[in-house]
Amino acid sequence: MLTLAVGVAHTGGAAAGDMPNEEARVDVVYENATFARRDVGLSKFRNTLKIDIDRQLGRRGAFDDVGVNLKLRGTFDGVYRLNDDTYGNKAGGAVRLENTVGIPGSSVAHGEGLGSPTNPLTAGLAGLPGGGAFGFNSTDPSAPRYNPNEGMVVLGEHLHRTDGGVAFAVPVRPCDKDSRGCIKDYLDATRQELESPEFNDRWDFIREAYVTGSVPFDDGSSLFMKVGKQQVVWGRTDLFRVLDVINPVDYSRNNIYDELQDIRIPMWIMQAEYRAGATETFDDLNFAVVWNFDKFRPHNIGQCGSPNVILDAGCFMRGMKNLWDNGGTVANFANLGLPGLAATDFGPNQIGIRKAHLPSWSLANTQLGVKLEGQKSGVGFSLNALTYRSQLPSLRGGIPARNPFDPVGAVDTTPQPHPYPYLIAFDVHFPRVNLIGGSMDLQVDAIKSVFRLEAALTEGEEFPNGLRKRLFSESRVFRYVVGWDRPTFIPFLNKTRAFLISAQLFGQHLLDHELEDRPFGKVGMPDWKDNNIFTLLLKGFYMNDRLSPQVIMAHDVRAEATTIAPSIDWLVSDNLKLTVGANVKVGRGARKFDDCRTCNPFHPFSASPGQGPNDGSLGLGGFEPLGRFRAGPIGMAQEEDELQFVMQYKF
C-alpha cells in the first residue's frame, strides 16, 4: 500500500480544530489476467491498473465523518491484437449455411440461398423474377447496402451445428473495422473501446467518486448521506442477483464468473439513510432512499466478436441488425413443397432488428428505491422497493417492415411499410420494471451456520412469446435465494483450519408464463416457467491463510448444465498475489425451441398448409434463435472451457 500525506484547504462552516490534516490512503494495484480457451487459444490478456484514494476529512459544518473516495480503473486487453483472427480485425471469414431441401448443393454459402442468381429455384417462384429479387446484394461493392460474405461466423457455430434449424451469418469484427450489425449507442464498440472499455464517453475510468457524511441528532439517531458515482448493494447473495439490481453489470468482462464488486457498472446515485438505532421493538433500525439520477445504462451483454457474450445474445442481435440493414440469407427457412427447407434471402428492412430505444435522460427515466433495514434478536432483515428500467433488452415486434414477397414492396421505393403480425422484425426496448422484496439473515449457533434468504417480485419485465402477434409479452417474476454458510473442519484435508462451505439455491418463477402445444412443437415463452440453479463454494486455508484452494460449482437444473471452477490463491507476499484456476462446463449444451419459421405474416406466401391469414407459429423449431433462453448462461457457454491465470501486485 502506498500512503501519501494530503493537505486540505480551510473551508467555511467549520472550526480549524474540526479539520485535522489527515493522510489520504492511496492503494495502487496492477493486475494481469491471462486466459486460454479450448480450441481458441488466448481469450484474455487483460492488464488493469486500479487506484483507490480514500480521504477522511472529519467534521465539516453540520456533517460528521466526512469522507471522499475516488477509484480509478484503466484496462488494456491485448487479446484483440494478439489473437486478432478470432477476436480482432481479422476475425471471421466466409461462411456456408445449411440448406436441407433435396437439391444438389444443399449446403450453400452466404449469398447463395433462395433469391440469388446462383440458385435455380428462384426463377418463377411465387411469380418473382430471379436474380436477388428480395433486394439482397452480396456481389456489387459499389451498390448501397453491400453485404459480402467475409468477416462472418454462422450464428451459434461455436456451440452447435445448424441441424435443420434456422441460422444466419453474423459479422464479428470490431465496429470501426466492419460496421455491419452494429446497433448505434448500444452494441457498436470499436476495437479501442473493446480493449480499453473504461475509456469511453461515460468516463468509466472514474470507477467510483463519492462523498459521505453523517448529520447527528440529539436523540442519538443520524442521517447518513452518500452522493456520487458508486455501487449500491442490496441483498445478501452471490453470483445471481435478486434484490441487487440497482447497478447494471458488465458481463463482457468474464460472463457471470467475476465478483460482482468488479463487474457492477457504477452509476451517479444519491443515498440518504436515516439511522434510528435501537428502538422499543428493534435492536437496530434504518430507513434508506436511493435515487439513481444517472442517464440510463443497460447491462453490457458483450458485443459479438468479443470473448464473453452472455447467452450469445450479442451475436444474435448483431446478426439481426445486419439482416435489417443489409439483408442476408437465412438457413433452412422456406418450405418449397420439396423435402427439406431452403436457405432464403431477405432484403433490407424485411426482418431483423431496426434500432435500439435507449431512454434519454429525464426525471421520469431516473430510478428510485426505498429500503427499511433492521435487526431483531440477532436476525437481520430488509424490506425493499424499487422502480427502475430493465437492464436487459426486450425485442418488441410490430414495427413497420417491407413484404419480401411483394415485387413492389421488395425495393426501397415502396410506399411507407406497415407492421405485420408475427413478423420477426423488432426494435430493442428497455421497459420500466417495479420491484418489491426483502431479505433476511439469521445465525443458528446449534449447527454453526448462517442462513441467507432473499426474495423479490417484479412486474413489467418482458419476454419473447411466439403466441403474441408482436412476439413478446409481460410477466410478473418471482425470484428467491436461500443461502447457507458454515465453517467446517475436514480433518483429512486440514486438521487445524476450518473450510468455508457456502451453498445457494436460486429460483425463478414466471407467474404469467404462456406455452402451448402446436403441430410441430411447443410455442410461447422459451424461458422456463420454473427453474432453479444450485451453487456450492468449498474454500480452504493453508500456510497461515496464504494459500487458499477453492472450488465453485453451479448447476442449472432445467438447462441440465453445470460449471466447475477450481482455483488456488497464493499470497506470495503482502504485495503479490497469484491465482491459478480453470472454468469447465459440462451438460446438455444447446437447446431447441420454436423459431417462428411457420408463422404466417405474409399470407399466402408464408403460409404452411392449412394456415389462414396472420396465423401464428406451428411450432417448428431449432437451436436458434430462442433455444438460448432454455440453455441459460451456463449451457450457452459449454464450449468456453478455460485455463486462467491472474497476477495482482499492490504497490
Side-chain angles (χ1 to χ4, degrees):
M1 180 180 67
L2 179 67
T3 304
L4 303 176
V6 179
V8 178
H10 178 76
T11 57
D18 293 331
M19 295 184 301
N21 187 22
E22 297 181 358
E23 293 181 337
R25 290 170 49 92
V26 182
D27 292 340
V28 180
V29 176
Y30 164 74
E31 177 186 277
N32 172 268
T34 302
F35 296 178
R37 184 169 295 175
R38 184 183 64 184
D39 301 327
V40 169
L42 191 69
S43 59
K44 191 181 299 295
F45 189 69
R46 186 182 67 213
N47 300 274
T48 305
L49 186 66
K50 295 181 279 189
I51 302 174
D52 188 347
I53 304 172
D54 184 16
R55 176 75 162 107
Q56 297 301 312
L57 303 179
R59 183 177 178 83
R60 289 292 184 272
F63 289 89
D64 281 350
D65 304 321
V66 174
V68 178
N69 189 272
L70 175 65
K71 296 181 181 180
L72 307 176
R73 186 172 83 180
T75 296
F76 178 79
D77 191 344
V79 72
Y80 296 97
R81 298 171 188 259
L82 297 174
N83 194 1
D84 63 350
D85 58 350
T86 302
Y87 300 117
N89 288 346
K90 300 177 183 178
V95 301
R96 297 182 68 82
L97 293 174
E98 188 177 67
N99 180 1
T100 58
V101 71
I103 62 171
S106 61
S107 179
V108 299
H110 177 68
E112 296 179 5
L114 177 64
S116 75
T118 61
N119 192 324
L121 284 176
T122 301
L125 175 64
L128 295 177
F134 286 1
F136 168 36
N137 168 36
S138 63
T139 58
D140 184 1
S142 64
R145 295 178 172 178
Y146 176 49
N147 192 12
N149 185 13
E150 59 187 38
M152 300 280 202
V153 300
V154 177
L155 181 64
E157 69 173 29
H158 71 291
L159 181 61
H160 58 77
R161 297 182 63 85
T162 305
D163 194 27
V166 300
F168 42 80
V170 183
V172 291
R173 294 172 181 172
C175 288
D176 56 332
K177 180 68 174 180
D178 186 350
S179 62
R180 290 178 297 170
C182 298
I183 303 176
K184 180 176 172 57
D185 298 327
Y186 180 41
L187 295 171
D188 60 350
T190 65
R191 186 176 71 172
Q192 181 274 321
E193 291 169 328
L194 292 172
E195 61 191 10
S196 297
E198 290 88 1
F199 297 97
N200 55 29
D201 57 4
R202 298 293 289 258
W203 290 26
D204 283 343
F205 67 89
I206 303 176
R207 178 118 183 108
E208 297 186 32
Y210 57 81
V211 178
T212 60
S214 297
V215 178
F217 300 118
D218 293 340
D219 61 359
S221 62
S222 63
L223 178 66
F224 171 78
M225 301 286 293
K226 184 176 181 181
V227 181
K229 194 175 188 181
Q230 58 184 291
Q231 302 181 43
V232 177
V233 182
W234 278 7
R236 308 164 192 271
T237 59
D238 303 315
L239 198 61
F240 296 99
R241 309 192 312 164
V242 175
L243 293 174
D244 184 16
V245 296
I246 294 176
N247 293 83
V249 170
D250 182 4
Y251 291 111
S252 72
R253 191 170 174 87
N254 192 22
N255 208 308
I256 61 174
Y257 303 110
D258 273 2
E259 295 286 343
L260 281 168
Q261 180 70 22
D262 293 325
I263 61 176
R264 289 191 197 92
I265 300 174
M267 303 286 284
W268 290 96
I269 294 172
M270 182 185 72
Q271 292 189 71
E273 182 175 324
Y274 175 68
R275 297 175 174 176
T279 68
E280 293 182 1
T281 305
F282 298 100
D283 301 329
D284 187 47
L285 193 66
N286 307 310
F287 178 76
V289 176
V290 177
W291 181 32
N292 181 348
F293 56 86
D294 205 347
K295 183 180 179 181
F296 171 78
R297 291 189 73 168
H299 293 316
N300 186 345
I301 61 174
Q303 180 170 296
C304 193
S306 58
N308 296 299
V309 185
I310 190 168
L311 284 176
D312 206 37
C315 287
F316 165 68
M317 297 179 75
R318 185 167 185 179
M320 289 285 281
K321 175 61 172 169
N322 183 47
L323 286 175
W324 178 267
D325 288 342
N326 303 305
T329 305
V330 180
N332 301 322
F333 194 89
N335 184 346
L336 304 178
L338 298 172
L341 293 159
T344 305
D345 284 351
F346 289 92
N349 303 119
Q350 294 170 7
I351 63 171
I353 291 175
R354 182 176 62 168
K355 61 181 177 180
H357 297 266
L358 286 163
S360 60
W361 192 94
S362 69
L363 192 61
N365 280 333
T366 60
Q367 305 172 68
L368 183 66
V370 294
K371 177 177 71 169
L372 179 67
E373 187 173 35
Q375 189 170 19
K376 173 68 174 178
S377 302
V379 177
F381 68 91
S382 75
L383 299 174
N384 307 68
L386 179 69
T387 178
Y388 66 107
R389 286 277 188 175
S390 172
Q391 296 145 350
L392 285 172
S394 172
L395 298 185
R396 296 180 180 177
I399 66 170
R402 304 184 189 279
N403 182 344
F405 296 94
D406 182 347
V408 176
V411 297
D412 290 340
T413 56
T414 185
Q416 180 67 32
H418 66 272
Y420 295 89
Y422 301 107
L423 179 63
I424 47 178
F426 307 96
D427 278 355
V428 180
H429 289 263
F430 299 88
R432 171 69 63 175
V433 177
N434 298 312
L435 174 150
I436 57 171
S439 67
M440 180 182 298
D441 60 53
L442 60 152
Q443 183 168 326
V444 183
D445 293 332
I447 56 174
K448 300 178 181 178
S449 297
V450 174
F451 290 92
R452 296 172 283 113
L453 309 174
E454 192 171 329
L457 176 67
T458 65
E459 64 90 17
E461 293 188 62
E462 296 177 357
F463 297 86
N465 187 348
L467 294 173
R468 301 295 185 94
K469 291 184 177 181
R470 296 184 65 192
L471 300 178
F472 80 96
S473 65
E474 288 189 7
S475 178
R476 295 163 297 164
V477 184
F478 178 67
R479 297 183 177 93
Y480 62 90
V481 170
V482 179
W484 170 61
D485 304 320
R486 188 183 192 275
T488 303
F489 278 98
I490 306 177
F492 72 90
L493 293 177
N494 192 334
K495 295 181 180 180
T496 61
R497 188 73 163 85
F499 285 75
L500 172 62
I501 299 177
S502 179
Q504 292 184 128
L505 168 64
F506 171 83
Q508 176 174 286
H509 173 65
L510 273 61
L511 278 72
D512 304 300
H513 193 265
E514 296 181 0
L515 195 66
E516 289 184 7
D517 289 319
R518 294 288 174 88
F520 299 140
K522 294 185 181 298
V523 178
M525 300 171 73
D527 294 80
W528 301 104
K529 180 178 181 179
D530 294 285
N531 195 16
N532 293 102
I533 296 176
F534 294 93
T535 69
L536 176 66
L537 165 68
L538 179 64
K539 186 175 181 67
F541 305 90
Y542 296 89
M543 297 170 52
N544 295 321
D545 295 348
R546 288 190 173 271
L547 189 70
S548 179
Q550 71 174 31
V551 60
I552 300 174
M553 294 177 284
H555 176 68
D556 187 323
V557 175
R558 300 303 299 272
E560 301 177 34
T562 303
T563 184
I564 305 169
S567 64
I568 298 177
D569 293 337
W570 179 24
L571 191 60
V572 180
S573 68
D574 290 344
N575 291 11
L576 179 62
K577 177 182 176 182
L578 304 178
T579 302
V580 179
N583 191 304
V584 179
K585 293 90 173 174
V586 296
R588 180 170 175 173
R591 305 292 292 262
K592 292 185 176 182
F593 196 76
D594 168 54
D595 52 34
C596 211
R597 264 180 295 180
T598 50
C599 292
N600 183 24
F602 305 122
H603 189 78
F605 305 105
S606 56
S608 297
Q611 272 187 308
N614 302 324
D615 280 354
S617 177
L618 299 179
L620 183 64
F623 293 120
E624 301 296 342
L626 298 180
R628 67 192 71 250
F629 295 105
R630 298 218 144 192
I634 299 175
M636 287 300 295
Q638 287 289 296
E639 300 301 320
E640 297 177 7
D641 296 347
E642 288 180 326
L643 295 176
Q644 303 173 343
F645 174 79
V646 180
M647 184 273 288
Q648 289 184 335
Y649 187 82
K650 181 183 291 186
F651 293 92

